[in-house]
Amino acid sequence: MSPNLFPPSRRRTAARRAGTRRASYAAALTLGLALTAAGLTGCSTQSRPSAAAGPAVSTSASAPAPGVDSRERLTVDGGAREYLMHRPAAQGGPRPLLVAFHGRGADAAQLREQSRLDKAAEARGMLLVYPEALGKAWGAGTAPTAQRPDPDADVRFAEALIAELVRTGRADPHRVYVAGFSNGGSMALRMAAQRPDLVAGAASVSGELPTGAAAVKPAGPVPVLIVYGAEDPVRPLAGLPSPGPAAPGEEPITATMSARASAEAFAAAAGAGAGGPAEEGKPGYDSVTWPAGPAGAQVRLLVMHGAGHTWPGSAMPPPAGFGSVSTALDASGTLLDFLTAHTR
């Protein structure tokens, strides 16, 4: 994984490009909102078919310098996949690892800017990676499509990425966490549902479990936090059981259950909250917590008052029509505090 380190001269160039990234992000997500208005709900963009299945996993790289961002490449199933990495400045052994999946129509750099997860992870001494999706969309559901004939390719990519970081001594296998936004949040929930032996905790912002033909069902206990905007116009709090048809050439929108039903599915798999969840109103949001079951996996849902399809606490303006950004809490710090309280 040859690191492409960012020297000071390139940082200035990156800063000049940030406005361009924000503009393209807004354009992509505004297209999603237009589809929503037409009954084609989701942050949509055309995606390329996944690489053909295969067991080969190889890498090209040496470890990045501590405290320096890098762009890495991993060969999985015979194809190259990329990701951004942020390694904490502090020296030490294997670190807690967070794998953060960007939303549909976005990319790794945009999630980094939107969430500011680097700062929150650095404060906790965590290793942080932002994988890049194929065609800017994740296979968060299990149903194949014409554009995504191999719906499990992204699961294998995430598994291979985690395995490589553990093998090279950078990540602690007992403290591997996944998180994401929108379609990336659904991808994080899919990883937690299907790989409870790999993931020590998962967090989703504005993402729900797929249902219908693409259904994903939790297979074991995993601590899960779901953060959702009560007024989300793109991926509604109540879910998308019957999304409209996609535009010609677009990958179909994956049906999802509600945010609460997603949390309940993980609570049931963990044997959590036998007496029912504890519900509490907080300034700016409602909290629903299913107490930990025998395996110690707590499940929590936070519903942000008046918030839309946004990352709470973000300083990045959302696309027009996507709703308000909640300032009631900092989602990045909140989800990392939740996740790092658990180990596998």
Side-chain angles (χ1 to χ4, degrees):
M1 291 173 290
S2 297
N4 181 12
L5 304 184
F6 302 148
S9 62
R10 290 193 58 193
R11 289 175 194 155
R12 290 192 293 271
T13 301
R16 289 194 298 270
R17 291 175 178 168
T20 302
R21 287 201 308 268
R22 284 193 291 270
S24 63
Y25 173 68
L29 293 185
T30 301
L31 172 60
L33 184 60
L35 295 177
T36 301
L40 312 178
T41 311
C43 300
S44 179
T45 186
Q46 185 174 0
S47 60
R48 298 188 297 270
S50 301
V57 175
S58 64
T59 64
S60 59
S62 57
V68 178
D69 296 329
S70 61
R71 178 171 286 274
E72 307 279 347
R73 179 171 292 184
L74 181 70
T75 302
V76 183
D77 294 341
R81 301 294 299 263
E82 294 188 353
Y83 59 98
L84 298 181
M85 176 183 287
H86 178 81
R87 189 170 184 176
Q91 299 284 349
R95 297 285 181 175
L97 168 66
L98 177 67
V99 181
F101 300 97
H102 62 76
R104 183 169 178 164
D107 59 22
Q110 288 162 350
L111 178 59
R112 166 181 275 168
E113 183 178 0
Q114 177 188 29
S115 67
R116 295 180 296 181
L117 275 166
D118 286 16
K119 181 178 179 181
E122 181 76 32
R124 294 161 178 80
M126 299 182 72
L127 180 65
L128 174 58
V129 294
Y130 302 89
E132 298 279 13
L134 295 173
K136 295 191 174 183
W138 296 104
T142 57
T145 67
Q147 297 83 0
R148 195 178 298 275
D150 182 0
D152 298 327
D154 286 332
V155 174
R156 293 196 301 275
F157 172 35
E159 289 177 317
L161 176 55
I162 292 167
E164 173 64 13
L165 296 173
V166 169
R167 183 189 69 80
T168 55
R170 288 174 282 180
D172 181 348
H174 301 291
R175 295 182 292 171
V176 173
Y177 311 103
V178 290
F181 176 70
S182 190
N183 167 242
S186 293
M187 184 66 203
L189 294 181
R190 180 180 184 183
M191 288 299 300
Q194 294 187 293
R195 299 296 184 269
D197 57 337
L198 179 66
V199 174
S204 172
V205 179
S206 300
E208 300 155 321
L209 274 176
T211 189
V216 174
K217 298 180 180 180
V222 177
V224 168
L225 171 66
I226 298 175
V227 181
Y228 229 90
E231 306 299 328
D232 190 327
V234 177
R235 284 280 178 182
L237 181 66
L240 278 173
S242 301
E250 292 273 345
E251 184 173 5
I253 303 299
T254 301
T256 59
M257 62 181 68
S258 72
R260 180 156 186 147
S262 299
E264 289 173 340
F266 280 102
E279 305 197 28
E280 185 177 6
K282 301 278 190 178
Y285 64 96
D286 295 322
S287 172
V288 185
T289 303
W290 288 261
Q298 184 189 79
V299 177
R300 194 176 185 200
L301 170 65
L302 303 180
V303 179
M304 314 307 297
H305 299 168
H309 195 69
T310 53
W311 187 282
S314 176
M316 180 177 177
F322 269 51
S324 301
V325 177
S326 172
T327 58
L329 56 77
D330 168 29
S332 296
T334 298
L335 69 85
L336 289 188
D337 284 345
F338 176 88
L339 294 174
T340 55
H342 302 88
T343 60
R344 184 178 61 78

